[in-house]
Each structure stands twice: as structure tokens, then as C-alpha cells.
Amino acid sequence: MAALAGIPGDDELGLGPNERRRIGTAAAFAREVLAPGAAQWEAARALPREVVSLAAEAGLGGLLAPVEVGGGGIGVVAMARVMEELARVDLAFAFVLVVHNNLVGAIARRGADHQRAALLGPMIAGERLGAFLLTEPTGGSDAAALRTTAAPDHDGRGWQLDGDKSWITNAAHADVLAVYAQTDAYAGWRGIAAFLVEADRPGVVRTDPYAMLGAHAMGAGGFGFRAVRLGEDDLFVPVGHGFRAAMEGIDAARAVVAAMCSAMLADALERAVAHTRRRAAFAQTVADFQGVQWMLADVATDLVAARRLAYDAAQAVQHGAPGASVAAAHAKKFATRVALDGIAQCMAVMGADGLRQDHPLARHFAAAKVASYLDGATEIQNVVIARSLFRDRPEAQAAEA
Ligand SMILES: Cc1cc2nc3c(=O)[nH]c(=O)nc-3n(C[C@H](O)[C@H](O)[C@H](O)COP(=O)(O)OP(=O)(O)OC[C@H]3O[C@@H](n4cnc5c(N)ncnc54)[C@H](O)[C@@H]3O)c2cc1C
């Protein structure tokens, strides 16, 4: 959007040629595959599995894995740009790829040799889809309070997995499940480990995806684990490190979701500007009313701010800057909030046409609401921000010492 001075361009973001190529690929994929399909998938409340394969064939299946293993080798900032291109058309599909790519990246980084050998190739190629299973029916915000158990066998050679997971993106199609479980009822976060479990293993039960407000392409649903036998080979993150590992990529994910919400807002604003210029009322165009112009001017200000915060956070996370977690929390809280408000304003200036499903604003609106829960609800972002206000202050540190 040329009119929006202040939005960082790719030159400002310090992206390399490989990263720019992937962003171009994402933009073409959004145009050629997502734009013709997204509304239909939402109406059907299901994403055809082959769309994931097409995305992986285009090179979007292993973005965070190193080039040496066939991945994209891109950083957090470029990941945000790639997902921004996709989310501008369909946030739900973009999030399918966020979750899959994050897991592929984690397996490349911390997986055992046999796990890397077995999984990276098929996952990068899109033959196998990943999911991240932390949230449970009893709660998602208090991520350390897991009730899913992995009980060690008496001979110390394996585990038995029991419990339920809910609100899992890609539940509809996932093949590789990263399951976080408690190994010791008395150990709290120190007892959490993670396992890589095939979705077709005996005892794994996939529940039907949820009917939600929107964003059905995410295929969000649940899994049950009924006396699932696990071997030592299935251990992904050792006991004691599971909680930290689950939180490891969360700052990056929050910055990426912030960029994705900015993308939906940018699309809504462009469509609202175009519509109000065409539409007439009281012998002038709707765009001629100063009240309408000012509404959209406020949306534009929020958009510039949201995108700035998103990319400041992505840069901070990528460079491991102190305060990156707080930057990501600010970015995610602000972007989801202004996307929800701003898309509603854009719909309002379009009159009743704003409600119609032959343009994507209603889909964006629902997706912005859904996004406010992803990678921690808005209140949890405030917990992170408030902690920095109070705990990081010298007088608070002195009091705690
Ligand atoms: C479409 C979708 C896809 C998802 N995908 C995944 C996934 O792939 N993997 C996964 O593991 N999870 C996933 N989630 C779960 C998501 O991370 C949780 O919904 C989120 O963490 C909130 O948990 P909850 O819904 O259980 O809310 P609860 O934890 O029950 O919280 C209820 C309310 O209380 C508030 N609250 C909780 N604690 C505090 C506090 N300390 N201070 C103030 N307010 C508080 C919350 O913000 C919320 O508003 C997904 C969620 C959705 C909606």
C-alpha cells in the first residue's frame, strides 16, 4: 500500500536473496491457490489435504530447517513476511503452515538422529503434516498444569501415554504429533517431557474438528491417548526440558501472528478504500464524507503501528535481544486487537455489502478473533508485559532478592 508511509519495506528488513525468493513464492501461492479456494474451504469447514502438499512442493514446508537438510533456512523476520503474504488471503491456512514449519524446525534443531532421518524429508516434502499438542480440555493458559501423563515402564525402556489434548491446529490431517506430557505427578513443570507420536499408532484417537466462528482451514480439533505404548526412541524432549521447549518458539510465533493480523487489516483497508470510492450516497461518493475518511485514517494509523511492532518484535527475537519476549507480547496483543476493531470499521464503511461473503472481510474478522487465542490469549500477553513492568524494575528486584 503506497499510501501507508511508515510501513517497513523488505529493503528495511535486511532480508537475503533466498528469503526474498521464499516471500515471492508465498505471494504467488496466495494468489494462485489460496485466493480461489479460501472462501470455499471456509464454507465446507475443511481444508483439502492436497493444499498442504502443494504448499510444500512450492518450498513452504520446511522454512525454518537448515538448507543442508532440504529446508528453507530462513529467519524469524522472513518467516513473518512469508506468513504475512499467505494471511493476507487466508490466515487459517497460513497458521497450518506456521505450526508445521515450527515443528519441522524444532525437529531439525533438537531431534535425535533417527528422528531427523525419519521425519525431516517427508515433512519438508509435505507428505507428513505436523502438530503441536500442548493444550488440554482442562485449560491452555496454565501450560505447566498438564494432565496428560507419560508413565515410565518398570523396566525403564518405555512409557505409557494417557490423556486428552484439545484445540490442536492441524488435528484434521496431522501425521506427526509432538505431545507434551507429565512424567511425574509431583514434579510440576520439571516433570514435563515431549514425544513424537504417529497419529495412526494404536490407542491414538482423533476427534472431529471443531465447528467455530471461522478459520476452519486450521482443522483445529483434539486427540485422545489411550494406553499408547511409547519407546525411548519416541522421546523428543527429555524430562525436565519439556516446558522450556514448548515455550521456546512462542515469542517467534507471537511476532509472526502479529504480522499475519496486520496483513488481514491491510487487505481490509484496501478493499474499504476501493469500495467507498465507488459507492455513492447523498450525491457524492461515500469516500467524500470526512467521517468515513477519518474512520479509515484511524485504521491506517493502527495498521502502521501494528506492523512496526510486529517487525520490531521479529527482529528482536531473531537477534536474541533482551526484551524480545515483551516485544512479542506487545506486538501480538496490539495486532490482534486492532485487526479485530479495524476490520469491523472497514466492514462498517462498506455498509451491508461489508457483511457479504463474496469478499474476504467477514473471514478476516472471524480469523482475527481466533488469532487472539493463538500462542497465548491476550491476557497472557498482558501477564508477560506486566511482569516486565514490575519484576524488571530495580526496586522490585531488590525486594525479591
Ligand atoms: C483455533 C485454535 C487453534 C489452536 N491451536 C493450538 C495448537 O496447535 N496447539 C496447542 O497446544 N494449543 C492450541 N490452541 C490453544 C490456545 O493456545 C489456547 O486456547 C490458549 O492458550 C488459551 O487457553 P484456553 O483456551 O484453554 O483458555 P483458558 O486457559 O481456559 O483461559 C480462559 C480465560 O482466562 C484468561 N486467563 C487465564 N489465565 C489468566 C491469568 N493468569 N490472568 C488473566 N487472565 C487469564 C485467558 O486469557 C482466557 O481469556 C489453539 C486455540 C485455538 C482457538
Side-chain angles (χ1 to χ4, degrees), residues 8 33 122 148 158 200 203 208 217 231 234 241 251 273 289 292 295 313 333 339 355 363 376 387:
V33 181
T148 295
D200 58 2
D208 285 341
D234 301 317
H241 298 268
D251 294 335
V273 167
F289 296 114
V292 167
M295 272 170 84
K333 175 177 83 167
L355 299 171
R363 233 173 1 91
R387 198 183 288 145

Side-chain angles (χ1 to χ4, degrees), residues 5-9 12 262 302-314 331:
I7 282 200
E12 255 185 272
S262 309
D302 283 343
L303 170 57
V304 172
R307 203 161 179 269
R308 280 270 162 203
L309 285 179
Y311 284 95
D312 283 356

Side-chain angles (χ1 to χ4, degrees), residues 132 134-135 139-141 167-169 218 370 373-374 377 379-380 383:
F132 169 83
L134 183 66
T135 301
S141 303
W167 291 107
I168 304 305
T169 300
M218 285 169 65
V370 168
Y373 299 98
L374 303 176
E379 294 73 24
I380 298 306
V383 169

Side-chain angles (χ1 to χ4, degrees), residues 64 79 97-107 109 249 252-253 375:
L64 301 173
M79 178 75 172
L97 288 193
V98 169
V99 170
H100 176 76
N101 276 287
N102 283 347
L103 182 56
V104 175
I107 293 172
R109 240 185 358 265
D375 299 305

Side-chain angles (χ1 to χ4, degrees), residues 173-235:
H173 297 301
D175 311 285
V176 181
L177 314 179
V179 187
Y180 289 78
Q182 180 55 263
T183 62
D184 176 348
Y186 300 102
W189 67 266
R190 290 184 183 80
I192 296 175
F195 300 86
L196 290 173
V197 183
E198 299 89 358
D200 58 2
R201 199 175 280 205
V204 178
V205 183
R206 197 191 301 256
T207 58
D208 285 341
Y210 309 125
M212 304 187 286
L213 174 68
H216 289 96
M218 285 169 65
F223 285 93
F225 300 93
R226 309 283 172 255
V228 178
R229 306 296 315 156
L230 301 176
E232 277 302 312
D233 277 4
D234 301 317
L235 187 65

